[in-house]
Amino acid sequence: MKLAHTALIAALLVPAVAFAAGPNIYKARHDNFEAMGRAMKGTADQFKSGNPDIAVIRANAAVLAAAAPKVAGMFPKGTGVEGNPKSEALPAIWQKPADFAAANKRLVDATKAFQAATATGDMTAVQGAFGAVGGSCKNCHESFRKPRA
Ligand code: HEC
């Protein structure tokens, strides 16, 4: 019984540890950010077209709203440059966890508001809410991502 219990706990712990420590966290993070980047560009392209398609914007808003809540959990300790020299994650993520959490909340709130605005179809509101999402990306990158040349 005791052995079975230990085995059960081990089985439960192993995937979590592998996720936190393995190189896959970098790929998962990269893929999630890339998906958000594509959704942002796809939306911006609609506004630039002069004849935005609300269905396309709604689909992008759904991608953003689904991806945003995943970001906070994708930065376990030890997954900065120490685990992958190519990572642009700054140590501030782990030094200022409350600030990082606030930046994540801003993203989640902004993507929710954006998705809600697309449901109304009011294009002025949609564009304003889209701008706020972009602001939330920039806000976090300024403090927590290595500056890009
Ligand atoms: C709470 C902080 C935070 C928010 C909010 C955030 N990012 Fe990032 N982003 C990062 C960090 C940190 C990295 C660097 C990750 C790494 O290199 O390990 C990054 C990297 C990226 C990358 C490069 C991915 C790669 O691996 O090459 C893209 C693209 C990106 N973010 C897009 C976005 C977009 C679009 C948004 C808003 C919709 C956004 N991010 C919001 C923190 C954030």
Side-chain angles (χ1 to χ4, degrees):
M1 186 62 200
K2 185 148 191 267
L3 191 66
H5 190 216
T6 308
L8 177 65
I9 288 174
L12 289 171
L13 285 178
V14 163
V17 170
F19 183 66
N24 290 343
I25 187 69
Y26 292 98
K27 184 173 181 337
R29 209 151 82 184
H30 172 87
D31 291 350
N32 196 55
F33 281 129
E34 288 293 318
M36 290 203 297
R38 279 193 301 273
M40 291 301 284
K41 185 176 183 305
T43 305
D45 287 349
Q46 287 303 315
F47 284 115
K48 273 184 221 148
S49 76
N51 185 21
D53 181 343
I54 189 66
V56 173
I57 296 176
R58 276 189 189 130
N60 285 320
V63 168
L64 287 161
K70 296 184 193 164
V71 173
M74 291 184 145
F75 289 91
K77 275 207 176 86
T79 64
V81 282
E82 66 274 41
N84 177 350
K86 283 199 216 149
S87 174
E88 297 174 303
L90 291 180
I93 292 169
W94 299 279
Q95 288 161 356
K96 298 178 180 172
D99 292 355
F100 187 62
N104 272 296
K105 185 177 185 305
R106 183 167 157 179
L107 170 72
V108 171
D109 290 350
T111 54
K112 270 190 208 155
F114 177 43
Q115 194 174 27
T118 64
T120 72
D122 170 350
M123 278 313 209
T124 308
V126 170
Q127 198 158 8
F130 176 58
V133 175
S136 77
C137 312
K138 190 164 175 275
N139 170 63
C140 188
H141 292 162
E142 274 170 1
S143 301
F144 299 106
R145 189 175 76 173
K146 205 172 121 189
R148 292 180 163 182

